[in-house]
Amino acid sequence: MSTATAADQRVYNFSAGPAVLPVPVLEQARDEMLCLPGVGASILEISHRSAAFTAIIEAAEANIRKLLGVPDDYAVLFLQGGGRLQFWMTAANLIGELGAFKGKSADYLLTGSWGKQAMAEAKKVAPVRVAYDSSGSNYDRLPAPFCAGEPAMDLDPDAAYVHYTCNETIQGVQFPSEPDTGGVPLVCDASSDFMHKKLDVTKYGLIYACAQKNAGPAGVTIVIVNKALVADASPNLPIYCNYNTHIAEKSLNNTAPTFSIYIVKLVTEWLLREFGDLDAVYKQNQMKAKLLYDVMDAAPDFYIGHARRECRSLMNVAFRLPSDELTDAFLSGAKKRGLSDLKGHRSVGGARASIYNAMPVAGVECLRDYMLEFKNQQG
Ligand SMILES: *Cc1c(COP(=O)(O)O)cnc(C)c1O
């Protein structure tokens, strides 16, 4: 009989999402699976209106508020429908017939595949404008001043909001800081780098993030919204799609995704316990990404980065090898070492290493060592 435990069989999982979770979180969920301490039943079996679950959702919210310094005039919501529902819901609540800023349009920064999809959904609601578009170079860059020589954003000072994707998961392009919109509210899709560093939340009107990349499992999407921004959205919006419903009812208008919220609570507890604050998380994320980018920078003709240096992501490291044969050999060799899910998205090709908060430093070191070795063998 094998003595290998389930934990021994775990690989280093570089999946873009759903993605790696911290082992202590999985262990605690396992230990509490039959019975939440003092509750007598599992998280999967209790009412979303029970005292036990109320304590869980309140703790998850308090942890997020603490980690990100969310001010009181912002609500923290736990919704369903993923990032994709937010593509439409942000627009429906702000522009369009039922929106708080009816009659206005919104500006979109297209720096990757997700931003493009967000705009396509918003367009169903009301007119939108493209304020920047790097699709011509398959989304490898950002506007000036982030990338020198690029055009600046072409912003409409009268727009209801500017939507951008702070980390484009597929192309591995990340904004190093918020774009300056001259006072127009920022609406941000932070799905793949949520809680990877501290933010000044007051710079945003609304931040949304599906949890399954950097914050928890699939099934819940976290929204941080300035309550005043959405206050005038029409009550004629579908009840689930009106932010004011969820603000008023503390995300419990309907049955909330209880298990997913429970895991977000455990992940945020882990961040607080393991790192203390998001500055420490950020430091480790910078260090992990540098391990891989240093290898790429030393062999730029072998590991060919997709994103320009000024905007490459700390979360998703996307690169190609000189040929499809080498890419295949690289990926299959990686798999043999227990380095999984490194295949790039089909629209970019090559490889992509997603190294979210929960990816251990040892996993990135293992990949770094493999990249060096593979290059020496083949290069
Ligand atoms: C994964 C992802 C999404 C889509 O999320 P779903 O929950 O699958 O709808 C949206 N935006 C970004 C940046 C993502 O990485």
Side-chain angles (χ1 to χ4, degrees):
M1 203 182 87
S2 167
T3 54
T5 64
D8 293 335
Q9 293 170 39
R10 280 176 65 81
V11 294
Y12 287 123
N13 169 19
F14 294 92
S15 167
V20 59
L21 285 165
V23 168
V25 166
L26 298 173
E27 287 173 339
Q28 188 174 347
R30 174 199 61 197
D31 292 346
E32 297 180 351
M33 181 49 78
L34 287 186
C35 187
L36 283 170
V39 175
S42 140
I43 177 66
L44 297 169
E45 304 166 301
I46 61 172
S47 166
H48 58 297
R49 306 201 188 279
S50 63
F53 184 71
T54 304
I56 287 169
I57 194 170
E58 284 178 353
E61 175 176 343
N63 292 345
I64 291 169
R65 285 191 180 276
K66 184 166 181 187
L67 285 162
L68 283 168
V70 181
D72 287 344
D73 51 339
Y74 286 71
V76 177
L77 308 175
F78 299 95
L79 306 183
Q80 301 183 62
R84 279 177 182 78
L85 181 58
Q86 294 308 307
F87 294 166
W88 180 86
M89 198 165 148
T90 46
N93 278 256
L94 293 171
I95 52 177
E97 276 304 297
L98 303 175
F101 301 93
K102 181 180 168 180
K104 288 201 175 198
S105 81
D107 279 355
Y108 278 72
L109 308 184
L110 308 185
T111 59
S113 309
W114 291 115
K116 185 181 171 194
Q117 289 192 53
M119 191 180 78
E121 286 298 287
K123 224 178 187 166
K124 296 173 180 173
V125 171
V128 292
R129 277 180 77 250
V130 176
Y132 177 77
D133 180 0
S134 59
S135 59
S137 56
N138 196 11
Y139 303 118
D140 63 349
R141 61 192 66 186
L142 296 176
F146 299 107
C147 282
E150 270 297 286
M153 299 176 291
D154 165 30
L155 295 173
D156 169 8
D158 226 28
Y161 62 88
V162 175
H163 180 285
Y164 80 114
T165 312
C166 52
N167 183 63
E168 281 284 358
T169 324
I170 291 173
Q171 284 80 15
V173 168
Q174 188 174 36
F175 279 79
S177 59
E178 294 82 1
D180 180 0
T181 62
V184 176
L186 275 177
V187 170
C188 178
D189 176 358
S191 290
S192 52
D193 69 0
F194 189 62
M195 298 193 296
H196 91 293
K197 74 171 180 189
K198 187 110 201 287
L199 297 177
D200 179 355
V201 174
T202 63
K203 289 186 174 168
Y204 298 82
L206 189 152
I207 302 169
Y208 63 89
C210 55
Q212 70 270 20
K213 276 58 184 270
N214 203 32
V220 67
T221 295
I222 298 153
V223 176
I224 299 176
V225 57
N226 183 331
K227 291 184 259 188
L229 184 72
V230 294
D232 292 334
S234 166
N236 291 329
L237 280 162
I239 191 162
Y240 194 85
C241 295
N242 188 332
Y243 289 116
N244 295 306
T245 303
H246 303 293
I247 293 169
E249 302 190 39
K250 292 184 164 292
S251 308
L252 294 173
N253 168 258
N254 71 326
T255 308
T258 48
F259 182 76
S260 299
I261 293 169
Y262 160 75
I263 297 291
V264 169
K265 172 191 173 261
L266 298 189
V267 169
T268 50
E269 277 173 4
W270 173 78
L271 287 171
L272 288 163
R273 191 173 66 234
E274 189 75 16
F275 295 92
D277 61 32
L278 291 186
D279 290 336
V281 174
Y282 185 44
K283 218 180 235 169
Q284 180 168 297
N285 284 327
Q286 288 175 305
M287 186 272 273
K288 287 192 305 193
K290 187 171 186 301
L291 290 175
L292 303 184
Y293 287 126
D294 280 352
V295 175
M296 291 164 58
D297 289 344
D301 300 324
F302 192 77
Y303 293 119
I304 306 155
H306 180 74
R308 284 184 31 172
R309 268 171 182 246
E310 310 91 296
C311 59
R312 51 195 187 184
S313 171
L314 299 183
M315 300 277 102
N316 310 98
V317 178
F319 56 92
R320 287 182 293 110
L321 285 92
S323 70
D324 290 347
E325 292 69 36
L326 278 172
T327 303
D328 290 346
F330 176 81
L331 295 172
S332 67
K335 200 162 180 189
K336 287 196 192 102
R337 293 235 184 157
L339 304 169
S340 86
D341 290 83
L342 281 164
K343 194 171 165 57
H345 189 272
R346 60 190 178 281
S347 63
V348 176
R352 171 178 50 167
S354 296
I355 50 173
Y356 299 119
N357 289 350
M359 171 57 67
V361 175
V364 182
E365 286 172 344
C366 211
L367 174 57
R368 185 254 337 251
D369 293 346
Y370 172 65
M371 287 172 76
L372 289 171
E373 211 180 291
F374 187 81
K375 158 84 177 59
N376 287 339
Q377 276 167 13
Q378 312 284 337

